[in-house]
Amino acid sequence: MEDIKPLIEALKTKLKQALILWAEGFREACCLHRVIVLCRRSKKLMIRTGQCFLLNGFIFLGSLFVLNSVVIPTLQWILPDHYSQTSCEAMSEFHGVFKFYSFLRGFLIQLFYVFWFYPLYVFSFILSNLWYNDIATHGFAAMGRSGPSTVESLKQNDTLTSDSKVHAARPAGLGGIMIGIGEQVYSLLLLTFFFFEVYATGFIPYIGKALNFVLLSWMYAYYCFEYKWNFTEWGLEKRLDFFETNWAFFAGFGSPCVLAIFFFPPLVGYGFMAVLFPLFVLTATGTEAEQVISTQRRRFTGAQLGKVPVFYAADTLLMRVLSLFPSESRERTQDNKTL
């Protein structure tokens, strides 16, 4: 029993550290006042953020509201399932008519989706992703940054990664550009496979919803910080190492994003996420994650949480798929990942 006590104490300490880092991440994500400050500094940022809200909040969510509150009730009134004052005998006589009304009403609603919502969804998805990059760029400029992070931030990051392997610097010139492109392609594929993993966990009995929530939190947190890491020229391996080493902080940061959409239908959830996502991108841009994490870690000297391989399953599956392609392409992809 005495031998177990130190283990229990160590677990308690690590659990406490994880909860504190999670709370810090959650708090940083909720610092939406930074969005107001940055928008006041940059007119271009304010315009882009307003356009994003107009498209996704007013047009997309507004269209869903009109459909559910006006179009569908009107169709149900014009093409009812039954008449309240009709007797049972008359109901049986008009059963075929009511059935046709129901089919026609459903067909008209589907036409509304096919010719309005689905094209609007695709248009919104493409345009919003372009605007997100502009919002991150203007937000980064409004923070007074135009390139890699300051020397102080680099020193803090070196302290955080002292126990991990040294990341190779990206070479200059054409080789560095090609490596950067390769990293972006691999990152896109990795996150795509991770999305499939997140989707699949939702079907696991009992724990599926909880696991889905945690994985979604990590996914949105990575998306939010990826813009900042692109501007500060962090390599892919450095990003993944930092993310998986500080998994508790990023789980907390992504939680408000997921809470905003987790309990809504898919289309409504997308609309809310498309409105809120640029706000969380801006809070991530203004968050000094390295400093926050370093400050909390100094409170728990000698008690490190350890690294959680968040992207291990997605990375393994991706490498299996890439192994089906010619060896030369696979070697190039592996080189880009390593560098």
Side-chain angles (χ1 to χ4, degrees), residues 246-323:
N246 303 290
W247 53 270
F249 175 86
F250 290 106
F253 190 94
S255 294
C257 312
V258 182
L259 283 172
I261 65 170
F262 198 69
F263 303 102
F264 291 104
L267 281 177
V268 178
Y270 166 78
F272 276 108
M273 191 65 239
V275 172
L276 297 175
F277 182 71
L279 307 184
F280 291 120
V281 169
L282 291 175
T283 58
T285 301
T287 298
E288 295 294 344
E290 301 92 333
Q291 183 178 354
V292 173
I293 294 170
S294 178
T295 301
Q296 294 300 327
R297 280 190 172 186
R298 283 196 291 268
R299 296 175 55 187
F300 296 91
T301 306
Q304 299 300 326
L305 281 177
K307 186 176 179 179
V308 173
V310 177
F311 299 101
Y312 175 79
D315 183 65
T316 302
L317 183 59
L318 175 57
M319 294 308 297
R320 290 281 183 88
V321 172
L322 291 177
S323 66

Side-chain angles (χ1 to χ4, degrees), residues 90-275:
M91 283 282 292
S92 61
E93 292 179 3
F94 289 99
H95 177 72
V97 176
F98 293 143
K99 191 173 182 180
F100 174 73
Y101 283 173
S102 178
F103 169 78
L104 185 58
R105 185 177 65 250
F107 177 73
L108 292 174
I109 293 173
Q110 288 303 315
L111 285 180
F112 196 87
Y113 275 94
V114 170
F115 290 102
W116 177 249
F117 272 115
Y118 295 143
L120 180 62
Y121 174 83
V122 174
F123 176 75
S124 170
F125 182 82
I126 295 173
L127 193 58
S128 294
N129 277 279
L130 295 176
W131 284 349
Y132 294 156
N133 189 70
D134 290 344
I135 288 171
T137 302
H138 297 319
F140 200 75
M143 289 291 296
R145 303 166 179 170
S146 59
S149 55
T150 60
V151 175
E152 182 63 28
S153 296
L154 290 174
K155 287 181 179 179
Q156 292 170 351
N157 186 60
D158 289 340
T159 302
L160 288 172
T161 57
S162 60
D163 294 331
S164 61
K165 57 185 175 181
V166 178
H167 302 284
R170 184 182 298 176
L174 182 61
I177 295 175
M178 296 303 295
I179 290 174
I181 295 174
E183 286 183 343
Q184 290 299 320
V185 172
Y186 191 88
S187 177
L188 177 62
L189 293 173
L190 180 67
L191 291 174
T192 301
F193 277 82
F194 188 73
F195 174 78
F196 291 144
E197 178 186 344
V198 172
Y199 179 76
T201 56
F203 296 98
I204 300 176
Y206 305 112
I207 63 170
K209 287 293 183 181
L211 189 58
N212 186 259
F213 183 91
V214 174
L215 293 178
L216 273 175
S217 300
W218 277 328
M219 186 177 74
Y220 282 120
Y222 188 91
Y223 280 143
C224 290
F225 277 89
E226 188 176 33
Y227 294 97
K228 180 180 181 180
W229 292 335
N230 282 333
F231 293 130
T232 53
E233 298 181 2
W234 278 29
L236 178 60
E237 188 180 8
K238 185 177 181 180
R239 301 179 196 183
L240 297 180
D241 181 73
F242 182 71
F243 190 93
E244 293 180 337
T245 302
N246 303 290
W247 53 270
F249 175 86
F250 290 106
F253 190 94
S255 294
C257 312
V258 182
L259 283 172
I261 65 170
F262 198 69
F263 303 102
F264 291 104
L267 281 177
V268 178
Y270 166 78
F272 276 108
M273 191 65 239
V275 172

